[in-house]
């Protein structure tokens, strides 16, 4: 492995750096968290003419945004009918309609702000790992087409042609979607926000959040950020903040491994169309390329935890099973991110106090929903109206035994990876 295990940090074309929070300040909107949600919110607020200050405990994109697979998908993991069944017809359709446009909004932002993030809008492939997986994709195709989504159900031969492997029984192709270099995208959003007038501070962990009179007081180090409105956008990398708010979610890890750039002779038949892919397995895996010609394989599991060797060994076997020509190709990068999973797999916006939201729980789909939720949360907070939000804010959200659920996911992934692709 290289000295920088996270490929996205090693290959990012966008750079961003700002000093820690070092002086008291009063603004219209304070944002805590420098990922997709927080940076999109800061950018939107600044473009609307509001004063905005974002504080990030580490660096921009340090958390899940800089460890993402980089698939810009429409909708949620759940099929549309399941979303409507859980949320109700009106609310479900509201969320689905908003997120169906999420890739268009992401790629439009990239174009508008000139973000150098390897944006490739060639669609994504949801791969059927078994006959049962193909039946699931067939039903998802039916439901999506009923909503007007331009989905295409591919047979096994067309799937093999598109990915360069005969390992799958078919695929669901979504031409609305695509891939990006996720850390470059997060940094590009931050750069654009700063250019629009937002103030951003890295290496500025928040010790407490309190409400005093009509202002929120955000304490970082020896200084206080006072704000009329507040957005917490820490998602799966929440560090505390005191009693004001703590997002409740199930932490799930996802690890990825990348080859060095491959020569054309090896690369020409591997995802020649440039789609990003993930499969229908319960312990999900993903496969994609980057612009330099690396192949990136990922799967559920903590690549830095007790099962690290198991997950890394699985990645090598999985890559060889999909593409035998890559059997002896070393993996030069390996990194892990943490996902905020909710029990119903639906994101949350919690209105935990006056003029204050927390947005989290994208359950592995951070790019599109994070961008949309951050943008719309900023608009709603500044306007005082929540009518444009993707879903109705709730007062609180609680998960049942999140630590137990997290252990279940990791144990299942480790056991599966110990025996899979042998």
């Amino acid at each position: 492995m290289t000295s920088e295990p996270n490929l996205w940090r090693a290959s990012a074309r966008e750079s961003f750096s700002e000093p820690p929070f070092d002086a008291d300040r009063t603004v219209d909107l304070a944002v805590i968290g420098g990922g997709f949600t927080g940076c999109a919110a800061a950018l939107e607020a600044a473009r609307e003419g509001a004063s905005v200050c974002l504080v990030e405990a580490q660096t921009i994109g340090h958390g899940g945004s800089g460890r993402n697979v980089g698939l810009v998908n429409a909708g949620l993991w759940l099929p549309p009918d399941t979303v409507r069944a859980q949320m109700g017809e009106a609310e479900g359709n509201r969320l689905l309609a908003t997120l169906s446009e999420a890739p268009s909004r992401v790629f439009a932002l990239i174009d508008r702000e000139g973000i150098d993030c390897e944006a490739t809008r060639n669609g994504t492939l949801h791969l059927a790992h078994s006959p049962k997986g193909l039946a699931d994709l067939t039903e998802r195709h039916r439901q999506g087409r009923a909503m007007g989504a331009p989905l295409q159900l591919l047979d096994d031969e067309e799937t093999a042609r598109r990915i360069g492997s005969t390992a799958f029984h078919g695929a669901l192709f979504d031409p609305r979607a695509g891939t990006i270099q996720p850390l470059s995208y997060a940094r590009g959003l931050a750069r654009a926000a700063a250019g629009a007038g937002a103030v951003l501070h890295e290496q500025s962990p928040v010790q407490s959040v309190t409400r005093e009179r009509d202002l929120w007081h955000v304490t970082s180090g020896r200084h206080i950020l006072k704000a009329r409105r507040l957005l917490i956008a820490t998602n799966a990398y929440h560090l505390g903040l005191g009693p004001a708010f703590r997002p409740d979610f199930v932490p799930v890890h996802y690890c990825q491994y990348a080859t060095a750039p491959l020569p054309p002779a090896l690369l020409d038949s591997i995802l020649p169309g440039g789609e990003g892919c993930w499969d229908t397995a319960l312990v999900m895996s993903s496969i994609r390329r980057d612009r330099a010609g690396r192949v990136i394989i990922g799967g559920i599991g903590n690549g830095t935890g007790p099962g690290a060797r198991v997950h890394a060994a699985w990645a090598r076997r999985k890559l060889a099973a999909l593409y035998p020509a890559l059997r002896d190709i070393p993996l030069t990068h390996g990194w892990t991110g943490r996902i905020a999973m909710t029990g119903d797999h639906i994101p949350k916006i919690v209105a935990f106090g006056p003029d204050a939201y927390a947005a989290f729980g994208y359950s592995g789909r951070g790019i599109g929903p994070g961008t949309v939720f951050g943008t719309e949360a900023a608009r709603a907070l500044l306007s005082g109206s929540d009518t444009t939000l993707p879903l109705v804010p709730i007062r609180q959200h609680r998960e049942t035994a999140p630590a137990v659920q997290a252990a279940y996911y990791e144990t299942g992934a480790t056991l599966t990876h110990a025996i899979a692709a042998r």
Side-chain angles (χ1 to χ4, degrees):
M1 295 289 178
T2 63
S3 57
E4 173 47 75
N6 185 338
L7 171 63
W8 305 138
R9 288 192 171 275
S11 66
R13 298 289 295 272
E14 288 276 352
S15 61
F16 186 84
S17 179
E18 289 291 341
F21 185 59
D22 59 358
D24 293 350
R25 182 184 294 271
T26 301
V27 294
D28 295 319
L29 175 65
V31 179
I32 303 175
F36 301 135
T37 303
C39 291
L43 173 57
E44 180 61 25
R47 284 178 59 85
E48 290 194 13
S51 58
V52 55
C53 181
L54 180 152
V55 288
E56 160 60 41
Q58 300 288 339
T59 57
I60 294 298
H62 168 81
S65 296
R67 305 164 193 264
N68 196 282
V69 176
L71 305 185
V72 187
N73 279 309
L76 298 170
W77 292 120
L78 300 175
D81 286 0
T82 303
V83 175
R84 284 188 284 263
Q86 292 185 177
M87 299 183 68
E89 193 77 14
E91 289 303 316
N93 283 333
R94 173 179 172 181
L95 180 60
L96 290 166
T98 301
L99 294 185
S100 71
E101 296 298 321
S104 292
R105 294 179 66 166
V106 169
F107 288 109
L109 263 179
I110 291 168
D111 288 343
R112 188 188 77 194
E113 304 299 342
I115 300 174
D116 189 358
C117 63
E118 303 185 19
T120 304
R121 198 174 187 184
N122 290 351
T124 54
L125 292 164
H126 195 175
L127 304 170
H129 80 294
S130 67
K132 183 177 182 297
L134 181 59
D136 175 62
L137 294 184
T138 301
E139 178 59 19
R140 286 173 180 265
H141 176 258
R142 183 194 68 78
Q143 293 182 27
R145 296 289 292 184
M147 291 185 58
L151 304 177
Q152 301 172 32
L153 189 64
L154 310 181
D155 63 17
D156 56 348
E157 291 185 2
E158 177 62 12
T159 300
R161 187 189 69 79
R162 293 205 185 196
I163 68 171
S165 173
T166 59
F168 298 98
H169 296 256
L172 190 61
F173 174 63
D174 189 343
R176 299 171 295 180
T179 61
I180 60 173
Q181 210 278 20
L183 180 58
S184 281
Y185 176 58
R187 289 177 176 176
L189 289 175
R191 171 182 55 76
V199 177
L200 294 87
H201 293 287
E202 298 179 300
Q203 303 296 340
S204 302
V206 172
Q207 285 80 47
S208 67
V209 174
T210 58
R211 178 79 175 177
E212 299 183 23
R213 298 182 180 176
D214 294 329
L215 294 175
W216 288 99
H217 287 218
V218 177
T219 302
S220 177
R222 293 180 294 175
H223 300 285
I224 297 176
L225 172 61
K226 299 178 182 179
R228 299 168 186 86
R229 303 161 187 89
L230 174 63
L231 175 65
I232 294 179
T234 52
N235 205 30
Y237 286 76
H238 192 81
L239 297 180
L241 313 185
F245 180 76
R246 183 177 186 86
D248 206 13
F249 56 84
V250 178
V252 176
H253 290 87
Y254 198 88
C255 52
Q256 297 181 76
Y257 305 87
T259 69
L262 300 179
L266 284 178
L267 197 62
D268 284 349
S269 63
I270 299 174
L271 292 167
E275 303 95 340
C277 310
W278 76 103
D279 66 24
T280 56
L282 181 62
V283 179
M284 188 198 79
S285 60
S286 59
I287 185 84
R288 62 162 294 188
R289 288 169 41 172
D290 72 353
R291 187 168 291 174
R294 301 176 181 92
V295 175
I296 305 159
I297 186 96
I300 292 176
N302 187 352
T304 60
R309 290 185 179 181
V310 171
H311 299 310
W314 161 83
R316 294 185 184 93
R317 296 195 309 273
K318 180 73 172 181
L319 192 62
L322 291 174
Y323 304 108
L326 303 187
R327 182 176 304 278
D328 297 323
I329 299 296
L331 297 173
T332 59
H333 296 80
W335 68 102
T336 296
R338 192 162 62 243
I339 295 168
M341 188 84 72
T342 60
D344 58 7
H345 303 295
I346 291 175
K348 308 301 174 191
I349 298 178
V350 177
F352 62 90
D355 301 314
Y357 291 149
F360 63 96
Y362 305 123
S363 297
R365 286 214 171 178
I367 298 173
T371 301
V372 171
F373 274 54
T375 300
E376 297 303 335
R379 290 175 178 170
L381 286 167
L382 293 174
S383 69
S385 171
D386 63 12
T387 57
T388 64
L389 287 175
L391 43 72
V392 176
I394 55 179
R395 292 297 175 187
Q396 64 177 359
H397 172 72
R398 293 287 181 265
E399 292 287 339
T400 301
V404 174
Q405 293 189 62
Y408 168 80
Y409 280 113
E410 181 59 29
T411 301
T414 302
L415 292 174
T416 298
H417 286 172
I419 62 175
R422 286 191 179 274

